[in-house]
Amino acid sequence: MEHSTARRRIALFALFFLPGLGISSWVTRTPDIRDLLGASTAEMGLILFGISVGSMIGILGSGALVTRFGTRPVATVGIVATTLSIPVIGAGAALHQGLLVAAGLFLFGIGMGGGEVAMNIEGADVERILERPVLPTMHGFFSLGTVVGAAIGMILTAAEFPVVWHLALIGLVSVPVALAAASRLPAGVGRQAAAAVKGEPVWRDPVLLLIGTIVLAMALAEGAANDWLPLIMVDGHGLDPALGSAVYVVFAAAMTIGRFTGNRLLERHGRATVLAASAVIGAVGVALVVFVDNQIVAGAAVLLWGLGSALGFPVALSAAGDSGDNPTARVSLVATAGYVAFLVGPPALGFLGEHYGLRAAMITVLTLLAIATVAATTLRRSTTPALTR
């Protein structure tokens, strides 16, 4: 049992790593993609809307699919779609076809939206078996993937390496790894758990709704940086594209450090306190990027933005799984809220950015982080074991 659980955990590490590698690979090239397409900020927001449409389909369908088929087939189809989407995005940029880029982003969104919900249900199940936090580390591998992808993207951007070949190589490496890792997941997880439990809908639980509010804000903070941070630094703070990519590397590294070291904080302070502190730190970072017109301050503030965003999503998912009966439905509900914010929210920020500037658009993120701080502070007064431990 221990051996099979260890193999399953390693497989999940790989499955979380690959979407991070993929998303950062094309995000670091967004200035180049934007230039190849000749797109405005609003047009880029419209192209990114492909992620929104795909994500909504994947997210809204994932719960029912997991209930019927289990997590393994849903995660497998999702990760394959996610990895195949990367070369499509590159091809669209090289051919100057915004519609093809949007189609690649749609494929990325539907794969990540559906597959990641299934993978988080898997991760929560592993946590219950091991009786210790695992999801922060799994999300840490997502962030590690963003660091690796962003570092590669920064180097290739500086070298003016063609976007199409860069993203094609990422896809070529990722697809076989995705298939091998997905084959290590056990059959039946989620399907039996979801079908076996009946009763009052979990969304009526006020504690779960507060957890969902927190994850909504924290996921948007992470997603906004993933989609827009290089352009915020290029268009909003006057950095060149290579330095804009470098700042994104800083953000991704801060996320990775926060997630890999988060278990110690959780053991010492508990989930509710960690969530409250994370929201405050993230809000300070976003505020400095938005309101301080200084490149050095903005670059340093990205560290706070990344550290503050690091633990919100995985810790909230862990708390959701422990917050009551029917953990599969609880994790699915909170993960759905998180991925809606993570994948659908950032394109909407692009439309605000067209009218008010990308820096000003981030005030939306700042407002939601303030609301999350209030929600997490409310949860600190709760005696629910899922939050205090």
Side-chain angles (χ1 to χ4, degrees), residues 112-137:
M112 190 168 178
E116 291 279 313
V117 171
M119 285 156 51
N120 278 287
I121 293 171
E122 275 278 343
D125 189 61
V126 171
E127 281 193 334
R128 288 191 291 273
I129 293 171
L130 297 178
E131 297 182 343
R132 65 175 184 267
V134 174
L135 277 168
T137 304

Side-chain angles (χ1 to χ4, degrees), residues 216-226 251 282 286 305 308-309 341-342 365 369:
L216 190 74
M218 303 300 276
L220 180 61
E222 180 181 353
N226 280 333
F251 171 83
V286 173
W305 188 343
S309 304
F342 182 79
V365 178
L369 286 172

Side-chain angles (χ1 to χ4, degrees), residues 28 31 150 153-155 157-159 229-235 237-251 295-296 298-299 302:
T28 52
M154 178 183 65
I155 293 169
T157 297
L229 189 54
L231 285 177
I232 290 171
M233 302 310 295
V234 171
D235 295 348
H237 286 285
L239 299 183
D240 64 46
L243 283 176
S245 296
V247 171
Y248 178 72
V249 174
V250 171
F251 171 83
Q295 293 178 346
I296 295 175
V302 167

Side-chain angles (χ1 to χ4, degrees), residues 41-70:
T41 300
E43 288 169 338
M44 281 298 291
L46 189 60
I47 289 168
L48 286 169
F49 193 64
I51 285 185
S52 301
V53 177
S55 300
M56 289 303 297
I57 294 173
I59 290 167
L60 296 178
S62 61
L65 290 172
V66 169
T67 299
R68 183 171 181 180
F69 301 108

Side-chain angles (χ1 to χ4, degrees), residues 19 22-31 33-34 41 44-45 47-52 55 89 105 108-109 112 142 146 219-233 248 251 305 339-350 358 362:
I23 195 170
S24 62
S25 295
W26 64 261
V27 164
T28 52
R29 304 307 298 264
T30 49
I33 292 171
R34 186 262 313 269
T41 300
M44 281 298 291
I47 289 168
L48 286 169
F49 193 64
I51 285 185
S52 301
S55 300
I89 295 169
L105 292 171
F108 184 93
M112 190 168 178
F142 175 86
T146 65
L220 180 61
E222 180 181 353
N226 280 333
D227 279 11
W228 292 112
L229 189 54
L231 285 177
I232 290 171
M233 302 310 295
Y248 178 72
F251 171 83
W305 188 343
Y339 283 111
V340 166
F342 182 79
L343 295 169
V344 179
L349 294 174
L358 284 173
M362 294 302 117

